[in-house]
Each structure stands twice: as C-alpha cells, then as structure tokens.
Amino acid sequence: MTPFNPPIHAKNPHLPFGDKQDSPFYGQDIISVNQFDRQQLAYIFDVAHEMYEMVARVGSFDLLKGKILANLFYEPSTRTSSSFTSAMERLGGSVIPINNVSYSSVTKGESLPDTVRTLEAYADVIVLRHPEVGSSALAAKYAKKPIINAGDGIGEHPTQALLDLFTIQEELGRVDGLTVTMMGDLKYGRTVHSLARLLSLYDIRLNYVAPDILSMPAEIQEEIGAKGIPQAAFTDLMEVFPDTDVLYVTRVQKERFEDPTRHENLKGIYVVTAETMSHAKDEMIVMHPLPRVWEIDMAVDEDPRAAYFRQMEYGQYIRMALLAMVLGKA
Ligand code: ASP
Ligand code: CP
C-alpha cells in the first residue's frame, strides 16, 4: 500500500474540501478548561446556540458527514457518552462505541497509548473517559487526532463545565455578578473542579458547602484565589442559600472511596428538598451534573428553578459545537 502523505499524520491534518483551518480549536485536543479564555467561550456558546436552533428546525444536518468519532469509555456513563453520540449523528457523522472496555483488547493488557493509536487509525476524533487523572493528556501525547477529555478520574470534566457555564448563561442571561454555591462532594467531583476553574474567568463569588472530608482541594482554591475570586467554605447550606444565584449540587463519588463505610456515613446529608427551596431566591437555578442519587429530592423536579434536566440537554448542543470546531467545520 502507498504510504500516507505526512500531512495526514500531523495534528492538523491535510484539510479536505470545506474544512476551515482558521476554525478555533481545529485539530486541537480538549483536555482542561484552563485552555479557554472568555472570547473563545463566547464563540463556543454562539456555535452551540446555532446548533440548538438547527436541531429545533431540522433535527439533523450533514456538517460532519463522513467523519467518525470513537467513544472510548473506561468508566460508566449515560449522558456524556450518549450526548456525544447524538451530537455526532445529528451532524451526519458516525460513531465507534467502546463503552465497555472489558470487551475490547484493553482486557488483554493493551495500553492506553496503543488503544488510542489504534482508534485514530479508524476515527477522526476520540472522546475518552478514564479513571486516572492525566489520562487524556497522556492519550493526547500519543494521538495525532484530537482527544476530548470526557472525565479523567477526579481531575477534570471540561465538556461538562462548558455545558454548565452555557446553562448558566442561557438560563440567567449572564455570568458576571453571580453567586455560585457548590455543594456535596467537592473533593472527588471532577465537574466542580473544572467548573470552579472556568468560572474564575468571570466576576463571580464562589461558596463551597461540604463536610470537611469532602472539601474543595486546597490547590484548586489557591488557583482560583490567585485570580482574585472571593471564595468561602461552609458546612450549612442555609448560611448562603438565600443569596445564591446558582446552586450546583453534586453526588458523593462513592466509587472514589477506599473505605466504602465512609461513604455510607455521608448518605443523606446535604439533601435539597421542596422545603429547602422555600429559602431560595425566586430567580435562581439548581444544577446537578447527574446522575442524582439522593441529594435532590424528586419533589424539587417540578420547581421551575430546577434546571438539571435542561442542563443535560444543553450538553448535546455544546458537544455538537465542539465536534464541529475540532473537525474544522465551525
Ligand atoms: N457524571 C459526572 C461525572 O462523570 C458526575 C457524577 O458522576 O457524579 O463526573
Ligand atoms: N454528567 C455526566 O458526566 O454524566 P454521565 O456520567 O452519565 O456521563
């Protein structure tokens, strides 16, 4: 077989007809929220908004026809995996789903670098969820095609933070000037690690409500503090809830605990109920990356301020925008 031309092996591969080399993020990896600035975020949200309108109007369209996404998940997922699939399919592309690595050659001992180098031979972009911090950065080091981090252990979940920020912008019309209260497992929750960093680009106030053993890691607080963002930690939600614009609730990440009995002891603390909501502002939102276990009572779902199911839907438009951008079509 004739060897490939070198450009196909470059991280910015040779552009097929219609690709835009000047498209922001063309050929790039999405590993951490620290790679974004406010201008780029505004651009992503504009594209996501267009995706929303196009889906509402026509359902799907062929922007990424002929492109293939490999969905490589070493950890369970419902939303991230299926919304990347729906995003790719709504844009006319297709997906190689590897949602259960135990049925792949990973079980035979194949390394992550070899697995991603295999998948990029067949796909144009790889979405990766893996239990180890830094796994996406490692995969990106070896892969020539874009890697999108869909959660690296307790590290980051950047596409979730993008959809979280987009939710705040769409629901409340602004980000600057808001008070955001994060509650639950702030130690192991990768979504709050990414979101707190992303929010630090804005003029906001951050409250952390958690038991001491699940508090926001000191290094993240230092990183955010260095940007001049006011942060405060509490153990009682009621100290800050009446002034909160966004309550971001998280699940206790039981799979990260070495001693499962410690997780059992935390069950039932920091539960949001209809009674809790009676202390909130009229114009505020409750968010949750989901899955929810017991931390928000189902009675809250009927409250118009409960934004978590809408938040989940915004994820599809953000992921459509990201795929179009890294593949040079936005
Ligand atoms: N689904 C989110 C994550 O994968 C949050 C969670 O699992 O609690 O990080
Ligand atoms: N929010 C989120 O990442 O959900 P999944 O774990 O279901 O993908």
Side-chain angles (χ1 to χ4, degrees):
M1 202 165 101
T2 321
F4 290 125
N5 289 328
I8 290 178
H9 292 276
K11 201 108 198 178
N12 281 326
H14 184 72
L15 291 169
F17 176 75
D19 283 7
K20 294 180 190 154
Q21 201 154 22
D22 59 352
S23 177
F25 309 111
Y26 172 66
Q28 285 187 30
D29 306 303
I30 298 187
I31 306 297
S32 161
V33 291
N34 286 340
Q35 69 195 79
F36 301 112
D37 61 31
R38 280 183 67 149
Q39 206 185 343
Q40 290 167 328
L41 292 171
Y43 184 81
I44 296 170
F45 296 165
D46 280 352
V47 178
H49 202 90
E50 272 176 41
M51 296 295 180
Y52 162 76
E53 283 173 354
M54 284 203 270
V55 169
R57 239 185 1 254
V58 291
S60 63
F61 41 100
D62 279 348
L63 191 68
L64 296 182
K65 192 171 163 57
K67 301 286 185 189
I68 298 177
L69 157 71
N71 240 354
L72 177 58
F73 280 67
Y74 290 71
E75 282 189 337
S77 170
T78 300
R79 277 145 291 270
T80 313
S81 156
S82 51
S83 63
F84 266 113
T85 299
S86 67
M88 196 63 183
E89 292 187 353
R90 284 193 186 279
L91 291 172
S94 45
V95 181
I96 301 173
I98 305 190
N99 288 334
N100 189 342
V101 289
S102 58
Y103 293 113
S104 75
S105 284
V106 168
T107 309
K108 301 179 202 167
E110 188 162 60
S111 68
L112 181 62
D114 283 2
T115 301
V116 295
R117 283 183 290 197
T118 304
L119 288 173
E120 72 174 354
Y122 313 132
D124 301 289
V125 53
I126 298 172
V127 170
L128 173 67
R129 173 171 288 186
H130 193 282
E132 277 162 39
V133 175
S135 49
S136 285
L138 176 74
K141 196 172 140 197
Y142 287 91
K144 295 181 180 72
K145 307 264 178 76
I147 298 287
I148 300 180
N149 181 1
D152 61 330
I154 63 165
E156 282 219 33
H157 194 345
T159 68
Q160 175 74 43
L162 291 172
L163 78 88
D164 291 342
L165 192 64
F166 185 56
T167 302
I168 297 172
Q169 177 68 50
E170 292 284 307
E171 295 270 324
L172 296 177
R174 67 190 199 286
V175 180
D176 283 320
L178 298 180
T179 295
V180 179
T181 299
M182 298 180 169
M183 182 169 86
D185 186 347
L186 309 183
K187 179 178 181 188
Y188 296 119
R190 55 192 172 202
T191 67
V192 281
H193 299 168
S194 287
L195 182 59
R197 288 181 170 118
L198 204 55
L199 285 170
S200 70
L201 294 173
Y202 296 81
D203 173 21
I204 50 125
R205 176 175 292 278
L206 272 178
N207 296 320
Y208 305 128
V209 177
D212 285 345
I213 59 159
L214 295 181
S215 58
M216 183 63 87
E219 62 275 18
I220 297 181
Q221 291 196 47
E222 276 161 31
E223 207 181 307
I224 287 159
K227 299 209 181 127
I229 300 297
Q231 308 170 87
F234 303 88
T235 48
D236 180 1
L237 175 64
M238 283 309 146
E239 287 187 68
V240 286
F241 198 41
D243 295 322
T244 292
D245 300 298
V246 176
L247 175 66
Y248 192 98
V249 186
T250 63
R251 173 181 70 90
V252 174
Q253 309 281 296
K254 63 174 183 188
E255 64 275 31
R256 313 283 180 211
F257 283 63
E258 275 166 31
D259 174 2
T261 57
R262 294 200 82 177
H263 152 256
E264 283 303 316
N265 297 339
L266 293 163
K267 219 170 182 170
I269 59 164
Y270 303 119
V271 182
V272 179
T273 63
E275 199 284 322
T276 316
M277 292 305 293
S278 68
H279 301 275
K281 288 181 178 182
D282 289 341
E283 202 196 317
M284 61 84 68
I285 52 170
V286 180
M287 298 175 65
H288 191 307
L290 303 177
R292 153 185 60 188
V293 190
W294 41 254
E295 55 285 348
I296 302 179
D297 194 281
M298 278 179 76
V300 178
D301 299 356
E302 304 310 316
D303 191 312
R305 295 167 293 183
Y308 31 92
F309 294 123
R310 299 192 293 273
Q311 173 187 358
M312 182 180 72
E313 189 188 330
Y314 291 124
Q316 176 180 248
Y317 311 121
I318 284 289
R319 289 170 175 139
M320 289 172 82
L322 291 174
L323 289 172
M325 284 182 198
V326 300
L327 294 171
K329 297 284 187 181

